[in-house]
Amino acid sequence: MKKLVLLYILFFSITAFAQVQFEAKVSKNSLGLNERLRVDFAMNADGDNFTPPDFEGFRVVNGPMQQVSQSWVNGKVTFNKAYSYFLIPTRKGSITIDQASIEINGQTYKTSPLKINVTAAIDIPKNPQDSPQISADDAIHLVAEVSKANPYINEPITVVYKLYFSYNVGISNFRELDKPKYNDFWSQNIEIKNLEVEEGTYNGERTRVITLRKTVLYPQKSGKLVLEPLSMELDIEIPTNRRTMFGQYVTTQVTKRVSAGAKTINVKALPEKGKPDDFTGAVGSFTFEATPSKTTLKHGESLDLKVSVSGKGNLKLFDLPKPVVPTALEMYDPVHKENVNSPLSGMSGSISDSYAIIPQFKGEYPIKPMTFSYFDLKSQTYKTIVSPEIMVKVLDGPESTEAIAAKKPGENSNKKAISAASKFEFIKLKTNLKPIKKPDFFGSSLFYGLLVIPFLGIPVLMIFRSKKEARDGDVLGNRIRRSNKLAKKYLSQAKKQFQNKELFYIALEKALHNFLKAKLHIETTEMSKDTITTILLQRKAKEETVSEFIKLVENCEIARYAPSSSSAIHSDFDKAVGLISELEKQIV
């Protein structure tokens, strides 16, 4: 039974929650920039803590206004509640109205987001309920005045935005909502420093007028081009039917949005008939000049060739002709200069390209005539201006190969011909250039190499130390090495003492003794002839070699005190070297 009751309670609760509705409704999904939008947040149950969205992209002009209705029909209760807002968009495009939330019966409900499409301003609101009639409609007019509706390509036209308003109303403030865009036009805005109120006439009625914007336009393609409108929001003070105690009308302030409306310009293409081949798009009235700074110069000097166009027209929108010079004249890239004013009537002034030209050889060189073509708006025909030929005379310097080849045989035969490649001999092919920005030492290969080398040296030092310790501990080996060293030392000393017999044989005897000590591993105290002979024979030395060695040792002892010749000394030294060599091979 309890389970059944719980199921009934759960069912009625779900039914009650399911019947609650909370949704957002709009008067329209698409509107102009100067129209109003009404948004209603409606619910069928009373709630608390209503939170509206932030209405980003809109400005709230009125709201929230709360409406509540309740009725009983055949015992059934119907409840409706709504929060209403009146909004004005602040920009064009797709704008999203975010969710609103409210708490009903302890639960939070939210509306779904709404997407509104805002287009450019329209002349007259489509729905009077969304944009209520304002008495100032006939007193405020925003107008775009275009100087010419069917110009040629690159013919200047002007568009001036003026605000006409009646003497019966006042304007306390205004804001631009949507600035005009000039697609497919080159445009130049004319600065208006101070906005002044002047007298004017609109539709035959005397009004006041303010000039808001001035723009010069140059169409860049033919066909129908649209100028998007300028839209503004105005704070207007208008009189009411009420008067003050002094008889003056009481004024009230209202907000009004106005638009200049879109303008269509029908642009004509330039005629193809008679169009010159060198035409680059110049339209207007121009003069053309090609002026050299000088025509006679020495080798190594330079001249400046100035190519300029002046007049009235689209000066910034075409290219100047480029001079063609002989190969003997080296021409550098031009320096472009502009001195152009852009008033409301269109561009005027001059543009120029200055070329630096340096001759390479002696002689006379012509610069061909240049042509400049433009479309004249007054006669509506193409005109071409041709500059005169310029002759450049170089007084000295080397002669070109063509000039030398053209001379008669024998004429100036003492001059050497200049090859085509000799012009570039001054260019250094190999340089010692160094980069301005050198790589940082930190993080370079040298940095990491110096960082790692000490660690790699540790094993080497350990091996060296262990070998040194083993070598130092080898007493017998050290003694043999020392004896060998002494034998070589005394042999070298003996060689130096060929002129001193006594010192020679002392050194030679010491060398032989140290050799035996190193090879036979015996001490000086064991140095007897019998012992030496026995050990050498045991070590497989030949008897003849041993006998000769003992005989040489005895000869060293005797020769120190007996007379001997220089040849005998040399013979004993050679014999000692030969015996030591033989014993080195024979002893095992």
Side-chain angles (χ1 to χ4, degrees), residues 25-67:
K25 301 177 181 179
V26 293
S27 58
K28 58 178 69 178
N29 293 319
S30 179
L31 71 157
L33 191 63
N34 59 339
E35 292 186 284
R36 292 191 180 189
L37 176 70
R38 176 171 175 169
V39 183
D40 296 322
F41 299 98
M43 62 205 78
N44 63 352
D46 197 7
D48 299 314
N49 299 326
F50 172 70
T51 303
D54 56 5
F55 297 114
E56 183 180 358
F58 293 91
R59 183 166 62 86
V60 179
V61 295
N62 198 358
M65 295 181 293
Q66 184 175 331
Q67 300 176 5

Side-chain angles (χ1 to χ4, degrees), residues 157-173:
I157 62 172
T158 60
V159 55
V160 180
Y161 296 92
K162 294 182 178 180
L163 181 65
Y164 293 89
F165 58 100
S166 172
Y167 280 92
N168 296 326
V169 300
I171 299 175
S172 59
N173 191 19

Side-chain angles (χ1 to χ4, degrees), residues 148 150-153 155 268-276 279 282-285 374-384:
K148 194 171 185 179
N150 56 342
Y152 281 104
I153 292 178
E155 180 181 359
K268 296 181 291 184
L270 295 175
E272 292 295 327
K273 183 179 180 180
K275 181 184 289 188
F279 179 71
V283 176
S285 178
Y374 65 95
F375 182 75
D376 184 30
L377 292 171
K378 292 181 180 179
S379 62
Q380 296 187 1
T381 58
Y382 292 98
K383 293 186 177 182
T384 299

Side-chain angles (χ1 to χ4, degrees), residues 290-292 294-295 303 305 365-370 387-392:
T291 309
K294 52 186 174 181
T295 55
L303 66 90
L305 180 61
Y365 304 98
I367 298 177
K368 296 181 180 180
M370 286 178 281
S387 67
E389 183 182 76
I390 300 171
M391 185 64 69
V392 179

Side-chain angles (χ1 to χ4, degrees), residues 121-375:
I122 61 175
D123 294 334
I124 300 175
K126 296 180 181 179
N127 188 349
Q129 181 180 358
D130 296 327
S131 183
Q133 295 288 335
I134 301 175
S135 59
D137 282 346
D138 297 330
I140 302 292
H141 303 280
L142 181 60
V143 178
E145 298 180 352
V146 180
S147 62
K148 194 171 185 179
N150 56 342
Y152 281 104
I153 292 178
N154 273 319
E155 180 181 359
I157 62 172
T158 60
V159 55
V160 180
Y161 296 92
K162 294 182 178 180
L163 181 65
Y164 293 89
F165 58 100
S166 172
Y167 280 92
N168 296 326
V169 300
I171 299 175
S172 59
N173 191 19
F174 63 87
R175 296 167 293 278
E176 288 188 358
L177 298 177
D178 195 14
K179 296 183 179 180
K181 296 181 178 62
Y182 309 111
N183 298 326
D184 300 316
F185 288 89
W186 185 93
S187 63
Q188 176 71 51
N189 290 324
I190 308 300
E191 182 181 3
I192 301 177
K193 296 182 179 180
N194 297 314
L195 297 179
E196 297 181 357
V197 180
E198 301 174 345
E199 291 187 357
T201 302
Y202 184 81
N203 288 340
E205 294 184 5
R206 181 170 165 266
T207 63
R208 290 177 291 177
V209 62
I210 300 176
T211 302
L212 301 174
R213 278 175 170 266
K214 296 179 180 179
T215 306
V216 182
L217 302 176
Y218 287 83
Q220 298 301 294
K221 72 175 186 178
S222 60
K224 292 184 178 181
L225 306 182
V226 178
L227 302 180
E228 295 188 9
L230 169 66
S231 300
M232 303 183 67
E233 185 177 70
L234 309 172
D235 295 333
I236 308 171
E237 294 181 356
I238 60 175
T240 63
N241 294 328
R242 294 181 292 115
R243 295 176 179 264
T244 65
M245 60 183 298
F246 300 102
Q248 297 176 343
Y249 284 103
V250 177
T251 61
T252 181
Q253 189 173 38
V254 297
T255 300
K256 177 176 174 59
R257 292 194 173 192
V258 291
S259 173
K263 296 290 183 180
T264 301
I265 309 298
N266 187 17
V267 182
K268 296 181 291 184
L270 295 175
E272 292 295 327
K273 183 179 180 180
K275 181 184 289 188
D277 294 334
D278 63 340
F279 179 71
T280 59
V283 176
S285 178
F286 305 103
T287 60
F288 171 67
E289 291 180 339
T291 309
S293 60
K294 52 186 174 181
T295 55
T296 302
L297 62 161
K298 297 179 181 180
H299 177 69
E301 294 182 342
S302 65
L303 66 90
D304 292 330
L305 180 61
K306 182 178 180 181
V307 180
S308 62
V309 171
S310 59
K312 185 176 180 180
N314 59 333
L315 288 164
K316 296 182 179 181
L317 302 176
F318 60 83
D319 297 326
L320 290 171
K322 186 175 181 179
V324 178
V325 301
T327 56
L329 301 180
E330 185 174 2
M331 184 174 68
Y332 293 88
D333 292 337
V335 177
H336 185 76
K337 291 184 179 180
E338 294 182 355
N339 183 18
V340 180
N341 298 318
S342 299
L344 196 60
S345 57
M347 287 185 277
S348 63
S350 64
I351 59 173
S352 65
D353 286 340
S354 295
Y355 296 86
I357 299 176
I358 301 176
Q360 301 297 310
F361 305 106
K362 177 183 176 181
E364 294 184 359
Y365 304 98
I367 298 177
K368 296 181 180 180
M370 286 178 281
T371 60
F372 171 72
S373 300
Y374 65 95
F375 182 75

Side-chain angles (χ1 to χ4, degrees), residues 361-475:
F361 305 106
K362 177 183 176 181
E364 294 184 359
Y365 304 98
I367 298 177
K368 296 181 180 180
M370 286 178 281
T371 60
F372 171 72
S373 300
Y374 65 95
F375 182 75
D376 184 30
L377 292 171
K378 292 181 180 179
S379 62
Q380 296 187 1
T381 58
Y382 292 98
K383 293 186 177 182
T384 299
I385 304 174
V386 182
S387 67
E389 183 182 76
I390 300 171
M391 185 64 69
V392 179
K393 185 175 182 180
V394 184
L395 299 177
D396 56 3
E399 293 187 355
S400 63
T401 54
E402 292 84 359
I404 294 174
K407 288 185 178 181
K408 296 179 180 179
E411 184 181 358
N412 294 335
S413 58
N414 58 336
K415 294 184 179 180
K416 295 182 179 179
I418 300 174
S419 65
S422 64
K423 294 188 294 182
F424 304 100
E425 287 181 352
F426 64 92
I427 300 176
K428 191 173 182 180
L429 300 179
K430 295 183 179 180
T431 63
N432 295 321
L433 300 178
K434 296 181 180 179
I436 296 176
K437 186 177 180 182
K438 296 183 178 179
D440 294 335
F441 173 71
F442 182 77
S444 64
S445 301
L446 179 60
F447 171 79
Y448 288 110
L450 294 176
L451 186 66
V452 173
I453 285 174
F455 295 98
L456 296 178
I458 292 175
V460 177
L461 291 175
M462 294 177 65
I463 295 171
F464 176 77
R465 183 177 178 181
S466 62
K467 288 186 176 181
K468 187 176 182 303
E469 290 177 351
R471 186 186 182 98
D472 293 341
D474 185 9
V475 178

